Amino acid sequence: MRAELEGKHVSGAERLVKEEKDIRKTLQELIRRPKVYDKMVLTVEKVQVYRVINKALPIYSYDFKSPEEAHSFAVMKLKEEGIPEEIGRLGIELLKKGPNPKGGNMRGAVLLDVETGQRLEPDMERGIRTVRVDWEDRSKIREELKRRGIKKHYLNRLMDALAIATKNIHCGVIAELCWSDDPDYTTGYVAGKNIGYVRIKPMKYEGIPVGGRVYFIKNTDIQTLIECLERKVFLIKRL
């Protein structure tokens, strides 16, 4: 599902279902997801081959008094994953000002070289989108997250973001930095193989409609990475 308002992307989501009987229910859920929109595109595609990830990245949560404190912590966690401090701060600045070179948000993520600080995505206005990933049993994961104290309002956001971050690491991304462009949602995260999925709040002040994703990469075949992120299908079994 992709929704737009006045030509700008406002919401997007996808689901992988095993049974044809679940398609209608899933489409109804996706239709209700955007708050406001004037255009929505729904695409249904049959998947022939998929891979299974046994376990998602572990989840950790931290709260701070201000975005500035949160950003310093995020840079520190990225350093634990081997991202140089200056590159981590560059990622922060890209999301603060808006990653689109023409200003504002972009649909996909930035690919940031950790050695040179250069952006490597072929189309810097579009970015790279991590898609075709979901949970093998969403209802089971949702109930487990509820038991862990995750509020109902945040469940879908967390499940989608955690699935994306987990696939990214499996595809070869070293670490990820993210916060939403939703002006009312201030929680963001950093993620990596060693640090796990680290929820951090607040990564921005309320009312700011700018955000996005930065994928930190190194010494990789860009086309192979993009193929994995955008074309290969993954289902995640458990937390």
Side-chain angles (χ1 to χ4, degrees):
M1 179 275 294
R2 185 178 77 253
E4 298 178 0
L5 179 64
E6 297 178 354
K8 294 183 179 180
H9 175 77
V10 293
S11 182
E14 67 171 18
R15 297 288 182 264
L16 294 172
V17 296
K18 286 188 172 183
E19 303 292 337
E20 188 173 342
K21 62 181 177 61
D22 295 326
I23 293 177
R24 184 182 297 273
K25 177 183 176 182
T26 302
L27 288 173
Q28 291 172 341
E29 292 174 357
L30 292 175
I31 288 172
R32 292 194 295 267
R33 179 155 180 162
K35 296 177 182 178
V36 291
Y37 62 93
D38 55 23
K39 179 181 178 181
M40 177 183 287
V41 177
L42 293 165
T43 303
V44 180
E45 180 180 356
K46 187 174 183 179
V47 172
Q48 301 287 358
V49 178
Y50 64 90
R51 298 182 182 183
V52 174
I53 298 174
N54 186 51
K55 186 163 57 174
L57 295 171
I59 305 169
Y60 306 93
S61 298
Y62 297 87
D63 286 2
F64 294 91
K65 294 180 180 179
S66 69
E68 290 74 21
E69 289 184 8
H71 292 168
S72 294
F73 178 75
V75 170
M76 182 189 74
K77 298 303 290 184
L78 289 170
K79 284 178 68 177
E80 292 180 23
E81 203 63 60
I83 309 303
E85 181 174 344
E86 64 273 19
I87 301 298
R89 294 196 178 279
L90 175 58
I92 295 282
E93 292 303 313
L94 279 172
L95 297 192
K96 283 174 64 176
K97 71 179 183 180
N100 192 321
K102 292 187 176 180
N105 302 309
M106 48 196 278
R107 285 180 58 196
V110 172
L111 296 183
L112 195 63
D113 189 303
V114 300
E115 294 182 324
T116 66
Q118 292 183 324
R119 293 179 61 165
L120 300 177
E121 64 273 22
D123 183 343
M124 291 187 186
E125 293 182 40
R126 175 188 181 273
I128 301 303
R129 299 181 65 235
T130 301
V131 293
R132 302 182 178 219
V133 60
D134 205 348
W135 300 91
E136 195 170 66
D137 186 338
R138 286 187 70 90
S139 61
K140 178 181 176 181
I141 300 300
R142 184 179 289 107
E143 291 305 312
E144 175 63 24
L145 289 172
K146 285 182 182 179
R147 286 193 291 271
R148 296 189 185 191
I150 302 298
K151 296 180 180 179
K152 181 179 179 181
H153 178 69
Y154 301 129
L155 284 173
N156 279 331
R157 284 183 182 272
L158 175 55
M159 290 172 66
D160 291 348
L162 178 58
I164 287 172
T166 299
K167 178 180 179 180
N168 288 341
I169 302 308
H170 276 260
C171 285
V173 173
I174 300 173
E176 178 186 355
L177 164 71
C178 173
W179 67 78
S180 174
D181 55 14
D182 183 336
D184 300 322
Y185 191 70
T186 62
T187 300
Y189 67 86
V190 292
K193 182 179 180 180
N194 299 310
I195 62 175
Y197 179 89
V198 186
R199 303 176 73 229
I200 307 172
K201 181 181 179 181
M203 288 293 269
K204 66 178 184 180
Y205 290 100
E206 288 189 9
I208 295 178
V210 178
R213 287 186 165 88
V214 176
Y215 297 168
F216 298 93
I217 62 174
K218 178 182 179 181
N219 295 333
T220 188
D221 181 336
I222 298 296
Q223 288 307 122
T224 298
L225 175 65
I226 293 173
E227 172 73 16
C228 184
L229 296 173
E230 298 195 333
R231 301 300 304 170
K232 292 186 178 179
V233 181
F234 288 79
L235 281 177
I236 306 170
K237 290 183 69 68
R238 60 190 178 95
L239 296 173

